[in-house]
Amino acid sequence: MSIRLPIFRKRKQKENDQSTLTNIPRHVAIIMDGNGRWAKRRGLPRAAGHKEGMETVKKVVRQAVEYNIEALTLYAFSTENWKRPKTEVEFIMKLPGEFLHTYLPELIDNNVQVRTIGDLTPLPEHTKEAIHKAIEQTSTNTGLVLNFALNYGSRAEITGAVNQIVKEVADGQLSPNEITEDYISARLYTSHVRDPDLLIRTSGEVRISNFLLWQIAYSEFYFTDVFWPDFDEEQFKLALLEYQNRKRRYGGI
Ligand code: FPP
């Protein structure tokens, strides 16, 4: 009996996990933070943290597919990240190509649609090529929308939308009373996805860092001390379990 009991418990736990995950967020957005600190703790260069972070991206995407999550938005590079040392920026810019080189066939098999949010214009050509190829080859897929936020900044995004709208009004194509919340949402990079239901940030930092400021108005937030490279299947499940307990009222009672 003493040998069989732990086995029984383990199986029971698994059944419970599956049955309690009934309220899956439809759109999960993640601020993937802590790669540098993860590496430093191991006496490794920061690049090693980013590389391991890329492995976490694969795990999280697989899990999102498994849970039938509709959209996953990952903050990979912000408009402010250009301030980092040139070698680090160059390293991060190689990751999308490396990631997609090994992982694109699996994304295609899993019916994932690759998309981006942000201004890709200043990205190196090799980064843009890899991304455009992935977007094109997954464009007819109908499963998980995998949004990479690259050179993304929420204030720049909102400023762009305002400029566009002002121009439409000035050109006489739009009347000011037609400017609704939906009209503004439709002019953001995220017009192809609903607003995030759950926003996760790893590494113990408790801030938003110019990420999806408009879109997270009613999102649930989940902060964890775990560094992004250590954010494994168990950690993602913990975030989803926590989301089960949230009561979303959208300002109501
Ligand atoms: C934040 O950690 C991480 C980044 C700015 C880069 C994120 C990139 C990845 C996770 C890999 C992306 C993979 C693909 C496929 C695009 P940090 O460097 O700010 O860590 P720190 O706060 O500990 O210094």
Side-chain angles (χ1 to χ4, degrees), residues 26-214:
R26 291 169 64 184
H27 181 182
V28 178
I30 309 184
I31 303 175
M32 312 182 286
D33 197 9
N35 292 349
R37 277 163 287 162
W38 180 91
K40 195 174 173 199
R41 288 235 175 129
R42 284 162 178 77
L44 298 169
R46 292 178 57 82
H50 294 316
K51 191 117 179 145
E52 199 57 32
M54 187 175 79
E55 295 307 314
T56 302
V57 171
K58 290 183 189 170
K59 287 182 211 164
V60 166
V61 171
R62 285 190 187 115
Q63 212 168 349
V65 168
E66 197 181 307
Y67 285 129
N68 286 321
I69 288 170
E70 288 172 24
L72 179 67
T73 300
L74 302 176
Y75 206 4
F77 195 84
S78 75
T79 44
E80 289 72 35
N81 285 152
W82 296 105
K83 293 180 208 150
R84 294 186 178 213
K86 193 167 170 269
T87 48
E88 182 167 341
V89 170
E90 281 172 0
F91 188 86
I92 296 175
M93 286 300 158
K94 283 189 194 141
L95 293 177
E98 208 171 303
F99 174 82
L100 293 164
H101 180 70
T102 55
Y103 198 49
L104 186 56
E106 189 177 325
L107 293 176
I108 294 169
D109 272 0
N110 282 328
N111 199 21
V112 173
Q113 308 169 55
V114 176
R115 301 289 292 263
T116 59
I117 59 170
D119 177 13
L120 301 193
T121 322
L123 266 50
E125 281 310 313
H126 65 85
T127 314
K128 284 193 270 199
E129 268 170 36
I131 290 163
H132 286 142
K133 182 179 156 200
I135 292 173
E136 200 184 298
Q137 295 196 5
T138 61
S139 64
T140 55
N141 288 355
T142 54
L144 175 75
V145 176
L146 174 58
N147 281 321
F148 284 110
L150 287 162
N151 190 30
Y152 174 86
S154 193
R155 288 184 172 184
E157 174 185 43
I158 294 169
T159 306
V162 170
N163 278 318
Q164 197 185 328
I165 291 170
V166 166
K167 191 171 179 305
E168 286 170 32
V169 173
D171 291 348
Q173 296 161 356
L174 182 71
S175 147
N177 60 19
E178 290 173 300
I179 306 169
T180 59
E181 291 187 8
D182 285 345
Y183 197 86
I184 295 171
S185 293
R187 265 128 203 97
L188 301 177
Y189 289 123
T190 46
S191 58
H192 58 292
V193 279
R194 57 185 275 120
D195 289 343
D197 301 293
L198 174 66
L199 173 78
I200 298 172
R201 181 170 190 149
T202 59
S203 92
E205 306 293 350
V206 188
R207 55 177 171 265
I208 301 303
S209 302
N210 203 14
F211 191 45
L212 304 174
L213 299 179
W214 172 277

